[in-house]
């Protein structure tokens, strides 16, 4: 039945070290997966070639250059929706899923049509440590619920209901990478959908933010910059409220730079990143405001 059909999208970029385990775990999923779509963002480490050679049953879409996680995922989501999928699961390349991960997500979604975005409980890649944000969330609810409402979820694995995507749209490519899932969660909640965690569904995630020594300079910069974009773009507040939130965040960052626990040098490095990020925000301010205006009026990114 189309409404229960799930297609999986895996955006990749230089993910050769992870892709075998990711795709093998998806193939071992207990629930049927009619489509697995890998969207490669111009990898230079042989990721796309590995997928083509070893996973011929996977649909592979190749870009010549990195269009960003957000737009790469969007390309796969559009292809998945074209197949008639009622749900689209977006899975990071640096994850592996446990066998019943998907069945538990779909069962939770089936319990309430207002549930629009779900994620699995996220553990570290090789061990069993739960993501701290989810550990706190589960502790607050005694950890025994099938579905736990949350303001937003971490995008290592997201199950997206088709009606959410058609009503509020896909990921905003403005972010390129990082904060795009928080933005989508905010838009979904604004449209009346519920967002949350399914504790019984488990995935394991390398999580670049937990391994900063391996994170690219671009990734670190985007993770830093996009927190400011996220504040300025909030469609639920007036523009002046967004500007106040942006300025308050800037003030906190300046204070942190001046009193950086790593010393003066690290404070200067972070200060330079702050300056560059604000220059980027100002250059893109009109685009940010246009996207916010579109969202206020219910326009979807399709």
């Amino acid at each position: 039945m189309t409404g229960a059909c799930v297609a999986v999208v895996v955006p990749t970029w230089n993910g050769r070290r992870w892709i075998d385990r990711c795709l093998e775990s998806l193939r071992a999923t207990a629930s049927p997966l009619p489509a697995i779509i890998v969207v490669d963002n111009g990898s230079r480490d042989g990721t796309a070639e590995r997928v083509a050679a070893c996973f011929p049953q996977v649909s592979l879409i190749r870009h010549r250059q990195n269009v960003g996680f957000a737009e790469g995922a969007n390309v796969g989501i559009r292809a998945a929706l074209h197949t008639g999928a009622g749900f689209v699961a977006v899975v990071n390349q640096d994850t592996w899923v446990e066998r019943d991960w998907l069945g538990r997500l779909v069962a939770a979604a089936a319990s309430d049509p207002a549930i629009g975005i779900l994620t699995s409980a996220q553990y570290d890649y090789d061990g069993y440590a739960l993501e701290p944000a989810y550990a706190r969330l589960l502790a607050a609810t005694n950890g025994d619920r099938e579905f736990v409402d949350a303001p937003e979820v971490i995008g290592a694995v997201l199950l997206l209901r088709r009606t959410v995507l058609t009503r509020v749209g896909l990921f905003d490519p403005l972010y390129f990478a990082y904060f795009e899932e928080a933005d989508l969660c905010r838009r979904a909640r604004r449209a009346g959908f519920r967002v949350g965690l399914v504790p019984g569904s488990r995935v394991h995630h390398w999580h670049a933010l937990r391994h900063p020594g391996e994170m690219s300079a671009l990734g670190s910069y985007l993770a830093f910059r996009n927190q400011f974009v996220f504040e300025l773009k909030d469609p639920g507040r007036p523009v002046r409220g967004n500007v106040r939130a942006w300025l308050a965040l800037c003030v906190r960052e300046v204070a942190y730079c001046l009193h950086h626990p790593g010393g003066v040098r690290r404070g200067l490095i972070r200060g330079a990143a702050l300056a560059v990020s604000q220059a980027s925000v100002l250059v893109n301010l009109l685009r940010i405001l246009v996207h916010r205006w579109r969202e206020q009026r219910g326009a979807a990114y399709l």
Side-chain angles (χ1 to χ4, degrees):
M1 187 173 86
T2 298
C5 178
V6 182
V8 175
V9 174
V10 184
T12 61
W13 180 67
N14 292 340
R16 175 66 183 82
R17 65 187 288 195
W18 299 295
I19 197 62
D20 282 14
R21 191 171 190 184
C22 177
L23 294 180
E24 286 167 0
S25 71
L26 289 174
R27 289 174 60 189
T29 295
S31 302
L33 285 177
I36 299 176
I37 303 166
V38 171
V39 182
D40 187 72
N41 271 334
S43 293
R44 297 292 183 265
D45 67 346
T47 300
E49 291 77 9
R50 179 69 178 181
V51 173
C54 299
F55 299 92
Q57 73 280 12
V58 169
S59 298
L60 176 62
I61 301 172
R62 301 178 68 165
H63 293 142
R64 292 184 177 181
Q65 61 185 11
N66 188 357
V67 299
F69 179 90
E71 185 55 27
N74 286 349
V75 169
I77 291 170
R78 293 184 192 107
L81 293 177
H82 185 69
T83 70
F87 294 91
V88 180
V90 179
V91 177
N92 281 23
Q93 64 181 3
D94 58 346
T95 64
W96 61 273
V97 297
E98 298 194 2
R99 195 168 184 272
D100 62 349
W101 72 284
L102 183 58
R104 291 178 179 272
L105 291 178
V106 172
S111 69
D112 183 357
I115 296 176
I117 300 178
L118 306 94
T119 194
S120 306
Q122 180 178 305
Y123 294 79
D124 64 355
Y125 194 77
D126 294 312
Y128 300 94
L130 183 63
E131 164 66 36
Y134 290 158
R136 291 190 293 271
L137 181 63
L138 292 179
T141 58
N142 297 320
D144 59 356
R145 296 178 59 184
E146 292 299 316
F147 175 82
V148 181
D149 284 288
E152 60 191 48
V153 292
I154 300 170
V157 169
L158 295 177
L159 183 68
L160 308 173
R161 191 183 291 272
R162 184 186 186 96
T163 51
V164 170
L165 297 168
T166 55
R167 188 176 304 177
V168 306
L170 314 186
F171 294 118
D172 187 349
L174 180 67
Y175 290 95
F176 196 85
Y178 299 106
F179 278 82
E180 71 284 330
E181 80 274 41
D183 181 274
L184 183 61
C185 289
R186 181 168 65 188
R187 286 152 49 203
R189 292 197 319 274
R190 181 175 167 81
F193 290 100
R194 297 170 67 191
V195 174
L197 165 71
V198 178
S201 174
R202 293 165 57 109
V203 303
H204 300 263
H205 184 205
W206 177 258
H207 206 325
L209 291 176
R210 303 288 177 205
H211 300 83
E214 296 189 14
M215 196 170 182
S216 69
L218 176 60
S220 297
Y221 166 71
L222 289 170
F224 185 66
R225 183 203 70 171
N226 286 346
Q227 62 181 325
F228 301 100
V229 176
F230 184 73
E231 292 294 348
L232 278 172
K233 190 170 170 282
D234 189 342
R237 293 186 304 223
V239 172
R240 61 180 179 276
N242 288 357
V243 170
R244 282 197 295 266
W246 167 54
L247 291 175
L249 183 56
C250 288
V251 169
R252 289 198 297 271
E253 282 293 342
V254 169
Y256 185 76
C257 292
L258 292 174
H259 303 92
H260 199 287
V264 174
R265 182 174 178 275
R266 289 190 176 273
L268 289 173
I269 292 173
R270 191 174 181 93
L274 177 62
V276 174
S277 69
Q278 298 319 299
S280 174
V281 167
L282 292 173
V283 167
N284 290 284
L285 184 59
L286 179 59
R287 186 180 174 200
I288 294 169
L289 294 177
V290 168
H291 282 218
R292 174 187 172 278
W293 177 81
R294 284 172 51 83
E295 289 170 16
Q296 281 190 314
R297 282 149 184 79
Y301 300 103
L302 298 174

